[in-house]
């Protein structure tokens, strides 16, 4: 039965891609992901992946409570909006202590991870809020769960959620930390997450163009500061199409968030050792 479902999933996705209708394809994928993995399974899977990240991938969290509290309170109004689009997710925000890596990712179950390197690379609260809102959008769209089912198969993922497939969990964790292509989202999902990101950031009164300036900044600095520096950019190519799409969403949906100030960010960056 599961094999048939997997085949059905592959076939439907292939048909969707051929049809080339992004919006319909995304909602079809979402519907399939929703029927394949329950919210409870997502939550269990997110928990397994977190344990793996901590034990095998040796991620370390920021200890300074002021930094953690800052990121959580910045994210709180974003999450309130994401909750309206997808109720029932128990969001968890983790700040990874790694100033040399500019990265952020989301896993099933509403786990959002942001690296201190990304916080240090942002200049305004709108930029950081834009990234957190974009990652929240991947959770709302159930993108991570779908990518995992696509790559590993339904059975491996449901077994992983039960804690019965350590190999699959290890693969997922390694891919996430390494910015690996296997779990990278497709173009349609990225555009969808950009749309959620712009809407949520604006709804939290941030300038929705923060996501655009952040992409542009990373692109300018590309190749500068060592291998880990541009991990987020490598899974989030900042091409002209992408930026034009965000601008279009801002205009069409009349997104009006105006906060474009550094706010409390410089003080937090100083705590993280910014020069
Ligand atoms: Zn993304």
């Amino acid at each position: 039965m599961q094999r048939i479902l997997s085949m059905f999933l592959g076939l439907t996705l292939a048909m969707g891609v051929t049809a080339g209708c992004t919006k319909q394809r995304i909602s079809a994928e979402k519907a399939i992901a929703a029927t394949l993995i329950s919210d409870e399974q997502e939550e269990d899977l997110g928990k397994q992946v977190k344990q793996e990240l901590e034990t095998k991938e040796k991620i370390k969290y920021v200890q300074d409570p002021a930094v953690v509290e800052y990121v959580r309170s910045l994210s709180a109004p974003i999450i309130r909006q994401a909750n309206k689009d997808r109720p029932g997710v128990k969001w968890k925000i983790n700040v990874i202590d790694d100033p040399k890596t500019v990265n952020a990712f989301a896993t099933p179950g509403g786990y959002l991870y942001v690296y201190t390197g990304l916080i240090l690379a942002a200049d305004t609260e709108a930029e950081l809020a834009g990234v957190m809102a974009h990652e929240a959008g991947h959770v709302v769209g159930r993108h991570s769960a779908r990518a995992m089912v696509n790559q590993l198969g339904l059975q491996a993922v449901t077994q992983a959620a039960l804690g019965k497939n350590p190999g699959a969990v290890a693969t997922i964790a390694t891919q996430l930390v390494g910015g690996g292509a296997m779990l990278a989202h497709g173009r349609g999902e990225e555009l969808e997450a950009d749309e959620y990101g712009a809407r949520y950031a604006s709804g939290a009164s941030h300038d929705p163009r923060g996501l655009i300036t952040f992409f542009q900044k990373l692109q300018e600095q590309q190749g500068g500061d060592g291998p880990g520096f541009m991990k987020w950019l490598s899974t989030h190519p900042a091409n002209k199409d992408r930026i034009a799409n965000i601008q279009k969403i801002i205009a069409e949906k009349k997104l009006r968030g105006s906060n474009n100030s550094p706010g409390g960010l410089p003080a937090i960056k100083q705590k993280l050792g910014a020069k």
Side-chain angles (χ1 to χ4, degrees), residues 134-135 138 185 189-190 193-194 232 235-236 242:
H134 171 99
E135 291 302 328
H138 280 311
H185 302 298
E189 289 179 343
E190 285 302 337
D194 283 344
W232 202 65
T235 49
H236 292 80
R242 171 170 222 148

Side-chain angles (χ1 to χ4, degrees), residues 62 67 70-71 95-103 114-124 127-128 131 214 217-218 221 225 229-230 265-275:
V62 167
V67 174
Y70 173 79
V71 177
V95 186
I96 297 176
D97 184 3
D98 182 354
K100 292 209 182 322
T101 300
V102 178
N103 202 9
V114 60
Y115 286 65
T116 50
L118 191 143
I119 299 172
L120 286 163
D123 287 314
T124 62
E127 291 179 347
L128 182 56
V131 171
F214 194 62
K217 187 174 312 171
L218 293 189
Q221 295 171 7
D225 276 293
F229 196 65
M230 285 307 155
L265 189 57
I268 292 301
K269 285 170 69 170
Q270 222 156 28
K271 281 178 179 290
L272 296 174
K275 279 144 217 142

Side-chain angles (χ1 to χ4, degrees), residues 105-108 134-135 137-139 142-148 176 180-191 193 235-237 242:
F105 56 80
T107 75
H134 171 99
E135 291 302 328
H138 280 311
V139 174
R142 300 174 187 265
H143 298 161
S144 305
R146 195 204 49 72
M148 288 170 192
L176 288 168
M182 188 190 100
L183 295 176
H185 302 298
R187 186 169 168 274
E189 289 179 343
E190 285 302 337
L191 295 181
T235 49
H236 292 80
R242 171 170 222 148

Side-chain angles (χ1 to χ4, degrees), residues 23 195-196 198-199 202 246-256:
K23 259 212 173 117
E195 177 165 348
Y196 285 124
R199 265 177 46 212
S202 167
I246 302 172
Q247 278 162 340
K248 191 170 136 236
I249 290 160
I250 292 169
E252 278 178 4
K253 300 202 178 290
K254 300 191 169 57
L255 302 179
R256 297 198 196 286

Side-chain angles (χ1 to χ4, degrees), residues 163-175:
K164 289 180 178 169
N165 191 341
V169 176
T171 305
I172 291 167
T174 307
Q175 284 280 317

